[in-house]
């Protein structure tokens, strides 16, 4: 296995380029969009002094500069770690984004911890019994699962749980919010670190329904990718050879066929994870949870460009990180691959 | 040495399921392969050679159908529509595929692959690493190869490693399905020669499938000529090659390029029929240069002389 320095450098340059690209696009869109950030920053003033206040705000935000200067300043600040203040919330963008990202990440992690094994199991099973009735059932199920709108499923679940009197709205009950000491930012972990099982259970019951709603797509998608690629792998000559050599079915499937699938499965899962970020936004909104999605929903009407760029950059980084992980796994599994 | 049957089939037919109907691509085949011999199955592509080879090696897909009887080393593997290859794969028969090097697991070193197979069949107690080394020696590979991944070996070394792997479970029968067709002329000879030597040294039965009758003639003891799912001629190699009876065999032999000649090969006009449209009667009739009225009925495989059978109306008394 060789993860070379040049690979790491390339990845970093690639990420920076993507972040720059995202910033440019956001900038351009916000520049073209109706609405004025200076107006929001000045506190939406009215009356005779309003235009003066807005002009002052424009200077404060640097909006009086030509757009390329604005952009350069923004990028320089961004890469030096100074993400500025949110126009809408007047709080540090960095801490806003991080707090909300932790919430989204927690939701996604819970959803993927369940969907990866379930999706794999369904995919492997239907591929091994290809053509059987079970296979047909799993296949239609996975198509339905990966195509049902998550927003709709989220709403249905919310209604179902609420009618059962299970509290699922919000991330944590209001009474616990003051008591929880945030350390990692993931409430499931923080509550355990604090030794508060009651808080943990509250957070847990609230996260399960949205996580389930979110996991339907990855379950279906992972099952389908696994089914197709495992069926192909089972036809590979070295896998058939393993059968011919009398190796048991388990060894053939898990030791030979599935091994070659790991990189593409990791890659696909990473991709589904990135897609799920988008779904998470809708689901968070339905369930009244904080998160990157709800944050963006609030930031966009206010033309809150520092916050929007930062949130999008985080989304991008998640994508880059999962992809890099997939590459590294590929190099670990496949001796022919060295990462250049 | 007692001469006994290694492989025996009675009216063996094999088909594949296509959209709710079964297409029988191998039809009522009777073969008898002696132990410790090299038995070549030749014929153009699509004649059912691989299907027959896979039936012997236990590698038919799940949607394959069988009929008749097949026995490998005294184990009944096909009886009617039931198949049972438990304990047959590996210990009794292994297969070498078309491109032997594709049989190697790209993710694992040669040594690990050999050891895994040896351990599975003989346990960890029997010095698997030592046995792996012996196998490498047998196929004339240097011992360092143990620590190499397949992609680090040259083409020829990969072929040898793949043969070593097929020998690892100490099978009694090896089915080599066109093991040389992906190779250049030099390697073709090397691999065929190596297989032949291993067959002799280890007292194996080698079923060698090829469409290359010239190559077959250099290594085989017995030849079966397949056409459109049936065996049209079978017998001791010297008899079949010196005195080919079936018009198809005669044409195959004519198609061999003479060494050094620049003359255009005589190829057999037309191509074998697809299993969906086997002709009535003799299946070679549409391409046969010497067919006659009788040929609209199906001929039977009959003994023309000792150790030489043919299925053609020209030899029917
Ligand atoms: N796995 C398979 N599934 C379905 N049909 C097959 C399969 N293998 C071979 N066939 C069909 O069976 C016939 C004989 O093929 P094959 O046994 O591969 O012949 P050969 O090895 O002589 O070229 C062909 O018509 C081929 O399309
Ligand atoms: S049976 Fe007739 S058609 Fe068939 S090979 Fe013999 S002569 Fe030709
Ligand atoms: Mg073939």
């Amino acid at each position: 296995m060789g993860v070379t320095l040049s690979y790491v450098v390339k990845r970093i340059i690639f990420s920076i380029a993507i972040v720059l690209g995202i910033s440019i696009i956001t900038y351009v869109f916000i520049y073209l969009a109706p609405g004025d950030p200076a107006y929001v920053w000045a506190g939406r003033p009215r009356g005779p002094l309003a235009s003066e206040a807005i002009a002052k705000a424009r200077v404060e935000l640097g909006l009086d500069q030509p757009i390329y200067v604005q952009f350069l300043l923004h990028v320089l600040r961004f890469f030096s770690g100074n993400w500025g203040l949110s126009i809408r919330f007047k709080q540090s963008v960095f801490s806003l984004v991080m707090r909300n990202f932790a919430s989204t990440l927690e939701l996604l992690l819970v959803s993927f911890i369940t969907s990866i094994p379930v999706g794999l199991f369904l995919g492997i099973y239907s591929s091994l019994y290809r053509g059987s009735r079970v296979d047909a059932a799993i296949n239609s199920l996975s198509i339905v699962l990966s195509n049902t709108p998550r927003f709709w499923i989220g709403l249905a679940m919310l209604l179902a749980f609420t009618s059962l009197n299970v509290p699922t709205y919000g991330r944590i009950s209001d009474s616990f919010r003051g008591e929880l000491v945030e350390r990692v930012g993931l409430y499931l972990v923080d509550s355990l670190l604090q030794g508060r099982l009651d808080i943990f259970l509250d957070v847990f019951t609230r996260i399960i329904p949205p996580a389930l709603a979110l996991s339907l797509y990855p379950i279906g998608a992972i099952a389908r990718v696994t089914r197709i690629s495992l069926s192909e792998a089972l036809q590979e000559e070295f896998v058939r050879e393993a059968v011919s050599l009398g190796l048991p079915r388990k060894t053939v499937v898990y030791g030979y066929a599935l091994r070659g699938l790991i990189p593409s499965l990791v890659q696909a899962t990473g991709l589904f994870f990135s897609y799920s970020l988008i779904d998470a936004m809708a689901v968070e909104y339905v369930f009244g949870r904080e998160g990157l999605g709800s944050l963006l929903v609030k930031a966009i009407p206010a033309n809150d460009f520092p916050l929007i760029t930062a949130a999008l950059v985080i989304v991008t980084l998640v994508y880059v990180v999962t992809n890099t992980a997939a590459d590294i796994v590929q190099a670990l599994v496949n001796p022919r691959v060295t990462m250049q | 040495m007692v001469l006994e049957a290694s492989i025996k089939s009675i009216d063996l037919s094999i088909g594949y399921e296509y959209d709710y109907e079964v297409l029988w691509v191998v039809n009522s085949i009777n073969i008898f392969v002696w132990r410790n011999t090299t038995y070549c199955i030749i014929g153009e592509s699509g004649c059912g050679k691989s299907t027959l080879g896979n039936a012997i090696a236990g590698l038919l897909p799940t949607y394959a159908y069988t009929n008749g009887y097949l026995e490998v080393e005294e184990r009944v593997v096909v009886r009617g529509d039931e198949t049972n290859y438990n304990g047959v794969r590996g210990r009794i028969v292994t297969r070498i595929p078309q491109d032997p090097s594709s049989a190697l697991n790209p993710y694992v070193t040669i040594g690990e692959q050999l050891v895994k197979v040896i351990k599975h069949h003989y346990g960890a107690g029997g010095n698997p690493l030592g046995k792996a080394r012996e196998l490498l020696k047998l196929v004339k590979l240097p011992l360092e190869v143990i620590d190499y991944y397949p992609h680090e070996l040259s083409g020829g070394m990969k072929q040898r490693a793949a043969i070593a792997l097929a020998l690892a479970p100490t099978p009694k029968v090896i089915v080599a399905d066109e093991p040389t067709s992906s190779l250049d002329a030099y390697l073709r000879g090397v691999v065929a020669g190596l297989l032949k030597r291993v067959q002799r040294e280890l007292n194996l039965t080698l079923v060698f499938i090829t469409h290359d009758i010239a190559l077959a003639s250099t290594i085989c003891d017995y030849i079966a000529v397949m056409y459109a799912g049936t065996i049209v001629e079978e017998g001791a190699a010297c008899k079949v090659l010196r005195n080919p009876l079936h018009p198809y065999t005669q044409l195959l032999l004519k198609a061999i390029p003479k060494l050094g000649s620049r003359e255009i090969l005589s190829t057999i006009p037309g191509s074998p029929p697809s299993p969906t449209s086997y002709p009535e009667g003799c299946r070679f009739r549409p391409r046969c240069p010497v067919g006659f009225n009788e040929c609209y009925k199906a001929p039977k495989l009959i003994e023309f002389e000792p150790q030489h059978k043919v299925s053609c109306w020209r030899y029917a008394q």
Side-chain angles (χ1 to χ4, degrees):
Chain A
M1 203 257 322
V3 180
T4 58
L5 188 64
S6 82
Y7 173 79
V8 177
V9 171
K10 262 187 203 164
R11 273 284 147 167
I12 291 175
I13 293 176
F14 176 65
S15 320
I16 293 177
I18 288 201
V19 168
L20 274 179
I22 292 274
S23 312
I24 293 178
I25 292 170
T26 344
Y27 243 83
V28 169
F29 274 112
I30 291 170
Y31 189 77
L32 295 175
D36 185 359
Y39 170 68
V40 180
W41 180 255
R44 304 180 199 266
R46 288 192 192 177
L49 291 179
S51 55
E52 203 175 307
I54 293 173
K56 196 162 148 255
R58 181 158 290 125
V59 176
E60 273 176 32
L61 291 174
L63 296 175
D64 53 337
Q65 316 260 17
I67 180 149
Y68 63 90
V69 177
Q70 288 180 38
F71 179 72
L72 273 180
L73 276 176
H74 174 77
V75 167
L76 284 179
R77 279 204 216 112
F78 191 90
F79 282 105
S80 63
N82 174 11
W83 291 10
L85 287 185
S86 151
I87 291 174
R88 159 141 191 199
F89 298 98
K90 304 230 163 143
Q91 294 178 30
S92 146
V93 164
F94 187 80
S95 62
L96 263 178
V97 164
M98 284 308 159
R99 197 171 63 238
N100 282 280
F101 175 58
S103 172
T104 302
L105 189 65
E106 185 169 42
L107 180 62
L108 282 179
L109 286 178
V110 171
S111 130
F112 271 73
I113 286 170
T114 48
S115 45
I116 292 175
V118 174
L120 274 180
F121 173 80
L122 292 179
I124 292 175
Y125 194 88
S126 67
S127 157
L128 291 184
Y129 297 93
R130 199 161 183 166
S132 69
R133 260 181 226 148
V134 183
D135 169 37
I138 292 178
N139 203 25
S140 351
L141 180 73
S142 61
I143 291 173
V144 171
L145 284 187
S146 45
N147 288 307
T148 317
R150 267 67 71 186
F151 180 78
W152 183 86
I153 291 192
L155 264 181
M157 282 200 174
L158 181 69
L159 286 175
F161 280 94
T162 311
S163 67
L164 291 172
N165 259 334
V166 183
T168 54
Y169 193 79
R171 189 178 177 197
I172 184 170
S173 94
D174 288 335
S175 54
F176 285 143
R177 190 175 282 279
E179 294 177 43
L180 183 75
V181 185
E182 285 192 37
R183 275 174 250 200
V184 190
L186 309 177
Y187 287 2
L188 287 172
V189 180
D190 285 334
S191 59
L192 285 181
L193 285 178
Q194 210 178 331
R196 291 288 302 268
L197 212 58
D198 50 344
I199 301 187
F200 176 82
L201 284 178
D202 175 61
V203 174
F204 189 68
T205 40
R206 284 165 196 272
I207 206 169
I208 286 302
L212 272 183
L214 264 186
S215 60
L216 297 184
Y217 169 71
I219 286 178
I222 290 172
R224 281 163 72 189
V225 170
T226 310
R227 172 179 186 265
I228 293 169
S229 43
L230 183 58
S231 304
E232 271 170 18
L234 286 173
Q235 290 307 313
E236 289 240 21
E237 209 57 83
F238 76 92
V239 176
R240 299 186 63 207
E241 188 67 11
V243 176
S244 157
L245 293 170
L247 293 177
R249 188 182 170 95
K250 255 199 193 129
T251 314
V252 173
V253 173
Y254 296 99
Y256 282 69
L258 218 46
R259 184 167 179 167
L261 254 62
I262 293 172
S264 56
L265 281 179
V266 172
Q267 186 111 40
T269 309
L271 201 65
F272 304 150
F273 195 84
S274 316
Y275 291 165
S276 286
L277 268 174
I278 318 274
D279 285 340
M281 298 182 182
V283 171
E284 278 166 355
Y285 182 75
V286 170
F287 283 88
R289 298 174 63 87
E290 58 190 30
L292 279 186
S294 346
L295 195 65
L296 272 172
V297 168
K298 289 171 194 153
I300 289 169
N303 278 332
D304 193 342
F305 59 90
L307 189 54
I308 297 173
T309 350
L312 288 180
V313 162
I314 293 292
V315 173
T316 314
L317 283 181
V318 169
Y319 178 77
V320 172
V321 165
T322 47
N323 262 297
T324 311
D327 279 357
I328 292 174
V329 168
Q330 161 125 18
L332 284 173
V333 170
N334 191 339
R336 286 172 297 188
V337 174
T338 46
M339 298 168 55
Q340 308 265 305
Chain B
M1 183 178 72
V2 195
L3 275 182
E4 280 167 39
S6 174
I7 303 165
K8 196 164 106 188
S9 80
I10 302 170
D11 286 334
L12 178 69
S13 298
I14 303 154
Y16 298 108
E17 189 181 281
Y18 281 92
D19 303 330
Y20 307 107
E21 84 172 320
V22 180
L23 215 53
W24 294 94
V25 303
V26 163
N27 304 81
S28 289
I29 278 193
N30 295 286
I31 58 171
F32 191 98
V33 180
W34 298 103
R35 278 192 185 147
N36 306 337
T37 58
T38 299
Y39 187 91
C40 279
I41 303 175
I42 63 170
E44 286 161 295
S45 152
C47 286
K49 306 184 297 294
S50 296
T51 302
L52 180 58
N54 287 340
I56 296 168
L59 293 174
L60 290 175
T62 45
Y63 53 90
Y65 280 70
T66 57
N67 208 348
Y69 175 89
L70 176 66
E71 166 192 306
V72 180
E73 292 289 331
E74 289 164 358
R75 304 279 293 261
V76 179
V77 292
V78 174
R79 192 194 292 277
D81 56 2
E82 277 171 35
T83 58
N84 178 8
Y85 290 92
N86 284 336
V88 174
R89 290 189 202 102
R91 280 295 264 274
I92 290 183
V93 46
T94 59
R95 184 197 60 146
I96 296 175
Q98 204 155 77
D99 175 5
S101 63
S102 68
L104 300 171
N105 185 341
Y107 307 118
V108 183
T109 62
I110 303 297
E112 275 176 79
Q113 303 192 35
L114 291 170
V115 165
K116 186 173 215 160
V117 173
I118 297 168
K119 258 193 198 160
H120 171 66
H121 288 287
Y122 297 98
N127 185 15
L129 200 61
K131 282 188 180 145
R133 290 216 180 89
E134 279 170 32
L135 283 168
L136 291 184
K137 222 189 280 172
L138 182 72
V139 297
K140 300 235 158 73
L141 274 176
L143 291 185
E144 310 86 271
V145 165
I146 280 219
D147 296 318
Y148 284 20
Y149 286 99
H151 72 280
E152 296 171 316
L153 302 180
S154 73
M157 287 168 104
K158 270 192 248 180
Q159 315 297 338
R160 289 170 191 273
I163 292 173
L165 188 61
L167 293 171
T170 62
K172 297 179 173 144
V173 179
I174 290 193
V175 177
D177 188 353
E178 313 227 21
T180 59
S181 60
S182 64
L183 307 178
D184 61 49
Y186 171 71
L187 274 182
R188 215 174 283 169
V190 172
V191 169
L194 174 61
L195 280 171
K196 180 71 188 171
R197 179 168 64 76
V198 166
Q199 181 261 312
R200 286 227 185 90
E201 277 177 26
L202 302 181
N203 293 328
L204 303 172
T205 305
L206 174 63
V207 176
F208 193 92
I209 298 174
T210 181
H211 57 254
D212 182 346
I213 198 167
L215 185 72
S217 66
T218 63
I219 65 166
C220 62
D221 304 314
Y222 293 90
I223 286 189
V225 181
M226 264 187 100
Y227 187 79
T230 59
I231 287 182
V232 294
E233 182 161 3
E234 191 210 30
C238 50
K239 296 200 173 166
V240 175
L241 292 172
R242 276 205 210 112
N243 180 22
L245 298 171
H246 198 278
Y248 181 58
T249 318
Q250 291 167 355
L251 287 169
L252 279 178
L253 278 166
K254 251 194 223 152
I256 300 179
K258 299 273 176 315
L259 207 65
S261 93
R262 313 188 90 227
E263 174 191 348
I264 298 167
L265 300 182
S266 77
T267 50
I268 309 172
S271 50
S274 128
T276 47
S277 57
Y278 284 149
E280 286 280 306
C282 172
R283 290 178 179 177
F284 190 57
R285 178 175 38 79
R287 297 170 79 189
C288 182
V290 292
F292 53 107
N293 273 345
E294 203 67 10
C295 306
Y296 285 87
K297 289 182 292 178
K300 285 200 171 61
L301 193 66
I302 53 148
E303 191 159 66
F304 173 78
E305 55 181 327
Q307 303 219 44
H308 196 174
K309 291 179 186 160
V310 66
S311 157
C312 170
W313 285 118
R314 292 211 295 168
Y315 307 95
Q317 278 81 38

